[in-house]
Amino acid sequence: MEQQKRYGHFDDQHREYVITDPQTPWPWINYLGNEDFFSLISNTAGGYSFYKDAKFRRITRYRYNNVPMDNGGRYFYIKDGDTVWNPGWKPCKTPLDFYECRHGMSYTRITGKKNGIEASVLFFVPLKKWAEVQKLTLKNESSETKSLKLFSFEEWCLWNAATDMENFQRNFSTGEVEIEGSTIYHKTEYRERRNHYAFYHVNAEIQGFDTDRETFVGLYNEFADPQAVMEGKPRNSHAHGWSPIASHYIEVTLKPGESRDFVFLLGYIENEQEKKFSAPQVINKEKAHALIAELDTTEKVDKAFAELCEYWDALLNIYKVKTGNDKLDRMVNIWNQYQCMVTFNFSRSASFFESGVGRGMGFRDSNQDLVGFVHQIPPRARQRIIDIASTQFPDGGCYHQYQPLTKRGNNDIGGGFNDDPCWLIFGTVAYIKETGDFSILDEMVPFDNQPGSEVTLFEHLKISMNHVINNLGPHMLPLIGRADWNDCLNLNCFSWDPNESFQTTENVSEGTKAESLMIAGLFVVTGKDYVALCRKIGKDAEAERMQQAVDAMIEAVKKHGWDGEWYLRAYDFYGRKIGSNECDEAKIFIESQGWCTMAEIGAEDGLVAKSLDSCKKYLECEHGMVLNNPAFSKYIYEYGEISSYPEGYKENAGIFCHNNPWVIIGECLAGRGNDAWSHYAKILPSYVEEKYQTLHKVEPYVNCQMVAGKDAFKPGEGKNSWLTGTAAWMWYTVSEFILGIKPDYDGIRIDPCLPETATDYTVNRKFREAEYEITIHPNGAQKGVKQIVLDGKPVDGTVIPYSVGKHTVEVTM
Ligand code: BGC
């Protein structure tokens, strides 16, 4: 095989991905921050920061899809004689003697060396702080004394990232800053309705600064060669309007072997209305001073960093597997869980593919993200469930998205996606099973955030189920509404206007016969969960009512949703089949195979096995399973956005990684461990890392939303990394169905489904107030637990009952 070029490798011991060549095939990024203050950072220090909401509270500016790509970030320029360079290679792109970027758990460390100087920057957001720390260490490794000129650089965003990109007739006149010692304050719009400001500080005396972009860069220069830096002369500019920036200038002399730390701090502050100013027009900086004082020495910063590392130690100790297979262990123990935290925090709002201005928190997305996160920090999951449910409408429908800053439903994105309500059950059940906290069901939760409209969360679950039952079509299958999980299957939309969004344009509900088999399966899965929950809390009549609805749905699927070899996908507006052998194109779709096999509909009649076999036969390819097959080759007015994509991309026969796990879980429930594993390994980043260094392009340490499918021009090319439901679904699949450790109301259910080749493995699982060390002996079996021994005593069935304390469990298959 041809030797692939490599850009990096895993370092499991430090839980890092180490990038050794700055010219990755695409910016490979990381996320900083765990709550409130967040940053995106690429392997060349590009990216930006924001407070809570990437749209409404953007702190630093970023230009998406620019030339060059990934332009703008936190840059350090080092001028050593005539050579100007950056530790992260960009933007100067001066060839470095050494380059390394280590992306770790909520931190990134970038190191560059040039002409005997090493510059290493540690970037992180300390726990509970609204600030990004950039600890720069300069070291003289040469044998002569070096006099360097150091320039820092950040560019302010005028807060609202959307208007920042377009309303220049206003923007160029509003920018305001203040400079005080080594701190540059950004206070645009503070004079009027904003009570927040940002600052950029360094814990050293500065010999100059700049705050006006054009003065610093020069109108005809670039980030790669800012005039002030090239000439080694700051201008001490004070921005009035135009584009405010923050740049410190520091002269540093280092003897041979000497090293020096500089702590740069990018902070965000909110003031009370009455305490905004310390003098007319002058911001009250008390809180900034206090924040700076907490992080103004190497010792304080190192301590904050140690706390962050301990925080991650604790989080990643909750579920730990030891299989002896490094590729599996590193994904389960590190990167998959890490990605789950990131998707929990950002939903689909801010990545290098999501601009931060288009989308907020998805109703469906965020509920799904919970299954990947709930074991990590249950109280935050609890709050999220309440926030999501608070955007629901009294009839069970909901806004498709809400803004994280305001927690209000986003009207621009609309609603009417008929799968949305079911996901609330999915998320809530996962939370209760993890925590045993049934009290969440009694929380009073409003509709559409309207005070006075509160009902219990349980009532929200009930109306969610009812929303499906109240919206059935002619085959007694769920009406799809604007779309189901597949945002792009727009069966009631009918658009010929290229300026219309498929997602928000007309949604003809009058007379529609468009029904979804995906929602049918989802309803059966979440309906069974709902029934079990009702029984658990003594609501037997309600359980009975819903059981009947679930049974009826199963019958409807068997009768009207089976195509002979697989489950149909949908019926269109006119009641014609979609995803059927009778269709010219897109004869089979993955979503309904996934959900109906997870729901085990018709398993007794062989439907599940046939459906799974069809997935292998028609959907599987080298890089995973495609969404539909064959791809649509033309736009179909009745189907909407799905057919707008060229063949093999996105929802038109791309490998939408998010839905592969559904089929894998179907395989697991059917006991087909070999097949489950082979599907899983195909989209497991560590398994395809080498092959994908160049083909895949995007980060090899996380899943991406889509890999180009077999019909694409370039199969195997990845896109839309990081913010995807794939993270939570991969986690749910491997932790609960493959490795088989499944939280349940009364304990942990153990039911692995493995490839025949699996050898003994151990899972350490913290669960509520207990800690289990579970060793599984597969003995070549794909499925079927023969015996469980808990603390030396055999247990009946497959659930180890919950009890406080440390336990050992031996499982024989
Ligand atoms: C959205 C999901 C959706 C998926 C498939 C993603 O971009 O965030 O909500 O289910 O696309 O259309």
Side-chain angles (χ1 to χ4, degrees):
M1 212 181 103
E2 191 194 333
Q3 190 66 30
Q4 286 273 356
K5 179 160 173 48
R6 285 207 72 108
Y7 295 91
H9 56 86
F10 286 100
D11 175 348
D12 294 341
Q13 201 201 330
H14 297 101
R15 301 194 192 117
E16 291 170 337
Y17 195 82
V18 187
I19 301 166
T20 48
D21 180 340
Q23 298 184 63
T24 48
W26 193 256
W28 286 358
I29 74 162
N30 194 13
Y31 287 84
L32 314 177
N34 298 89
E35 256 175 286
D36 300 343
F37 189 107
F38 297 110
S39 300
L40 281 68
I41 181 164
S42 72
N43 58 304
T44 55
Y48 60 92
S49 303
F50 61 93
Y51 172 78
K52 282 192 183 170
D53 194 313
K55 178 175 181 180
F56 288 137
R57 213 47 65 80
R58 187 78 66 98
I59 296 170
T60 52
R61 183 174 285 159
Y62 192 69
R63 296 162 185 80
Y64 276 90
N65 195 13
N66 216 294
V67 178
M69 185 51 80
D70 186 23
N71 211 18
R74 53 295 265 173
Y75 293 139
F76 293 104
Y77 296 90
I78 297 165
K79 185 163 161 55
D80 176 5
D82 288 338
T83 308
V84 179
W85 60 284
N86 314 103
W89 184 64
K90 276 187 77 171
C92 292
K93 297 192 281 179
T94 305
L96 299 176
D97 301 332
F98 173 85
Y99 159 89
E100 186 184 80
C101 167
R102 290 179 170 262
H103 284 320
M105 304 289 105
S106 303
Y107 70 88
T108 287
R109 193 190 296 271
I110 297 179
T111 305
K113 290 190 195 190
K114 186 76 189 170
N115 297 343
I117 295 293
E118 181 188 87
S120 188
V121 198
L122 172 67
F123 300 90
F124 72 102
V125 173
L127 296 173
K128 310 269 174 219
K129 299 272 190 292
W130 293 353
E132 177 184 308
V133 168
Q134 304 159 358
K135 187 180 90 168
L136 166 69
T137 306
L138 288 177
K139 189 168 173 205
N140 183 358
E141 294 182 337
S142 78
S143 52
E144 57 202 70
T145 297
K146 289 265 196 180
S147 291
L148 310 171
K149 293 178 172 183
L150 172 69
F151 294 82
S152 67
F153 177 82
E154 294 267 13
E155 182 178 10
W156 303 115
C157 179
L158 306 188
W159 304 113
N160 180 324
T163 56
D164 182 68
M165 291 190 291
E166 56 184 31
N167 195 8
F168 304 110
Q169 59 82 26
R170 169 179 162 85
N171 296 351
F172 286 162
S173 293
T174 56
E176 290 190 289
V177 299
E178 284 181 33
I179 302 128
E180 181 198 63
S182 300
T183 314
I184 295 162
Y185 292 86
H186 177 227
K187 60 168 186 177
T188 300
E189 292 185 346
Y190 190 76
R191 60 168 54 230
E192 30 127 345
R193 291 157 299 169
R194 293 192 184 274
N195 291 6
H196 46 265
Y197 60 90
F199 66 83
Y200 193 37
H201 166 84
V202 58
N203 69 343
E205 209 174 291
I206 58 175
Q207 283 74 49
F209 61 85
D210 270 295
T211 66
D212 178 67
R213 190 183 69 197
E214 267 70 66
T215 309
F216 177 75
V217 176
L219 192 57
Y220 297 98
N221 288 41
E222 299 169 24
F223 289 150
D225 59 354
Q227 265 178 7
V229 176
M230 300 322 277
E231 290 169 21
K233 269 195 231 114
R235 296 347 191 204
N236 297 339
S237 59
H238 191 127
H240 297 279
W242 300 110
S243 295
I245 59 154
S247 171
H248 306 95
Y249 169 71
I250 305 173
E251 291 170 0
V252 193
T253 301
L254 293 174
K255 291 201 230 41
E258 191 184 347
S259 93
R260 208 178 139 185
D261 290 341
F262 298 89
V263 179
F264 290 84
L265 196 65
L266 176 71
Y268 169 85
I269 299 291
E270 290 184 351
N271 272 341
E272 293 81 35
Q273 179 68 23
E274 335 57 78
K275 295 198 189 144
K276 276 180 76 167
F277 300 99
S278 62
Q281 308 267 11
V282 180
I283 28 181
N284 175 353
K285 305 185 186 68
E286 262 173 48
K287 289 188 186 173
H289 293 159
L291 178 51
I292 289 168
E294 289 171 37
L295 292 157
D296 59 354
T297 64
T298 297
E299 293 68 37
K300 291 179 194 174
V301 164
D302 289 350
K303 187 163 169 279
F305 183 60
E307 281 163 12
L308 178 68
C309 296
E310 281 160 27
Y311 169 86
W312 272 105
D313 280 345
L315 286 180
L316 297 178
N317 265 333
I318 296 168
Y319 190 121
K320 243 186 160 156
V321 71
K322 214 190 281 165
T323 64
N325 171 348
D326 289 349
K327 289 184 180 171
L328 177 63
D329 291 1
R330 73 166 62 107
M331 290 317 295
V332 174
N333 295 336
I334 307 171
W335 293 98
N336 193 179
Q337 297 202 55
Y338 182 55
Q339 191 180 3
C340 285
M341 164 72 95
V342 170
T343 55
F344 174 83
N345 281 335
F346 299 97
S347 194
R348 309 294 172 266
S349 67
S351 70
F352 269 30
F353 293 85
E354 301 280 8
S355 64
V357 298
R359 307 217 261 168
M361 312 296 281
F363 192 99
R364 159 205 304 147
D365 295 332
S366 290
N367 269 307
Q368 289 177 78
D369 293 345
L370 286 171
V371 293
F373 176 78
V374 64
H375 67 290
Q376 298 189 19
I377 311 179
R380 288 188 68 198
R382 191 182 205 274
Q383 185 58 48
R384 178 63 54 80
I385 292 168
I386 307 290
D387 290 348
I388 296 172
S390 304
T391 63
Q392 200 170 22
F393 299 118
D395 74 346
C398 24
Y399 288 104
H400 201 40
Q401 311 213 342
Y402 69 93
Q403 280 307 126
L405 192 68
T406 59
K407 296 190 177 177
R408 294 288 187 276
N410 188 343
N411 255 327
D412 300 341
I413 313 269
F417 295 77
N418 280 352
D419 65 314
D420 269 339
C422 287
W423 296 109
L424 189 61
I425 288 117
F426 186 74
T428 307
V429 165
Y431 169 79
I432 300 176
K433 286 188 172 169
E434 179 66 37
T435 57
D437 171 20
F438 287 90
S439 76
I440 191 173
L441 296 172
D442 303 323
E443 285 292 330
M444 297 302 284
V445 182
F447 292 112
D448 194 9
N449 283 292
Q450 293 307 313
S453 66
E454 293 82 359
V455 298
T456 62
L457 179 68
F458 180 78
E459 204 58 28
H460 278 265
L461 300 190
K462 183 171 170 186
I463 62 160
S464 296
M465 296 307 297
N466 287 346
H467 190 266
V468 177
I469 301 172
N470 294 337
N471 288 283
L472 296 177
H475 300 101
M476 300 311 279
L477 294 166
L479 288 171
I480 197 166
R482 196 173 280 293
D484 59 23
W485 170 86
N486 189 332
D487 279 341
C488 301
L489 192 61
N490 315 116
L491 303 180
N492 301 311
C493 159
F494 308 106
S495 177
W496 278 119
D497 177 355
N499 293 320
E500 265 173 3
S501 150
F502 286 101
Q503 255 90 86
T504 51
T505 192
E506 192 175 3
N507 178 25
V508 191
S509 48
E510 199 64 24
T512 182
K513 296 179 181 165
E515 298 169 301
S516 159
L517 268 302
M518 181 267 153
I519 305 182
L522 173 66
F523 178 79
V524 173
V525 171
T526 49
K528 287 180 186 170
D529 280 343
Y530 178 85
V531 168
L533 178 65
C534 288
R535 297 226 186 271
K536 193 78 207 148
I537 57 177
K539 293 191 189 288
D540 286 331
E542 177 62 1
E544 200 37 55
R545 178 181 81 94
M546 200 52 62
Q547 185 62 53
Q548 284 174 18
V550 168
D551 292 344
M553 189 67 77
I554 292 173
E555 284 316 306
V557 173
K558 288 205 239 174
K559 197 155 168 214
H560 302 292
W562 182 249
D563 196 54
E565 296 294 319
W566 56 79
Y567 302 97
L568 289 176
R569 174 62 176 88
Y571 285 95
D572 73 5
F573 183 90
Y574 307 100
R576 299 175 304 206
K577 291 175 185 172
I578 298 182
S580 159
N581 205 19
E582 295 164 21
C583 302
D584 293 339
E585 297 184 326
K587 290 169 182 281
I588 172 172
F589 283 75
I590 199 167
E591 302 100 321
S592 44
Q593 314 317 316
W595 280 99
C596 294
T597 58
M598 280 198 276
E600 301 182 283
I601 297 175
E604 61 292 354
D605 304 322
L607 270 50
V608 165
K610 276 191 191 159
S611 158
L612 295 170
D613 288 343
S614 296
C615 290
K616 279 172 63 179
K617 195 161 165 197
Y618 301 105
L619 302 178
E620 195 181 8
C621 71
E622 187 192 340
H623 308 292
M625 283 176 280
V626 299
L627 192 145
N628 53 296
N629 184 253
F632 291 106
S633 64
K634 51 186 177 302
Y635 176 57
I636 302 177
Y637 171 62
E638 292 91 340
Y639 292 2
E641 186 169 358
I642 189 167
S643 58
S644 74
Y645 289 108
E647 294 88 322
Y649 294 100
K650 291 282 287 176
E651 279 88 342
N652 184 16
I655 296 157
F656 223 92
C657 299
H658 186 149
N659 51 39
N660 278 229
W662 301 343
V663 174
I664 303 173
I665 294 174
E667 294 278 11
C668 289
L669 293 173
R672 301 165 30 142
N674 290 339
D675 291 329
W677 178 260
S678 89
H679 287 311
Y680 175 70
K682 277 191 174 168
I683 57 166
L684 191 62
S686 58
Y687 261 72
V688 288
E689 191 219 349
E690 273 168 50
K691 184 172 78 176
Y692 280 21
Q693 289 275 324
T694 45
L695 171 64
H696 196 60
K697 279 173 98 157
V698 290
E699 297 88 334
Y701 36 93
V702 291
N703 272 110
C704 56
Q705 179 208 53
M706 192 232 23
V707 173
K710 54 184 171 178
D711 306 296
F713 174 71
K714 204 168 178 192
E717 202 175 52
K719 285 184 193 142
N720 201 356
S721 51
W722 281 100
L723 301 186
T724 160
T726 315
W729 277 100
M730 286 295 270
W731 172 253
Y732 187 53
T733 301
V734 71
S735 65
E736 300 197 12
F737 294 91
I738 295 179
L739 299 171
I741 313 295
K742 198 167 175 38
D744 212 331
Y745 295 121
D746 300 320
I748 294 188
R749 183 176 298 281
I750 306 200
D751 191 12
C753 184
L754 305 160
E756 283 160 349
T757 49
T759 50
D760 293 2
Y761 63 94
T762 303
V763 174
N764 285 85
R765 178 65 154 97
K766 295 208 168 102
F767 180 64
R768 304 178 198 168
E769 303 290 307
E771 233 179 290
Y772 296 91
E773 181 171 292
I774 307 165
T775 303
I776 316 261
H777 308 279
N779 297 316
Q782 294 184 51
K783 177 103 169 175
V785 166
K786 266 202 197 129
Q787 198 193 29
I788 299 181
V789 177
L790 168 66
D791 298 328
K793 292 193 201 79
V795 171
D796 283 339
T798 52
V799 178
I800 39 176
Y802 169 68
S803 71
V804 179
K806 285 196 175 183
H807 307 280
T808 42
V809 184
E810 293 286 326
V811 181
T812 316
M813 294 177 61

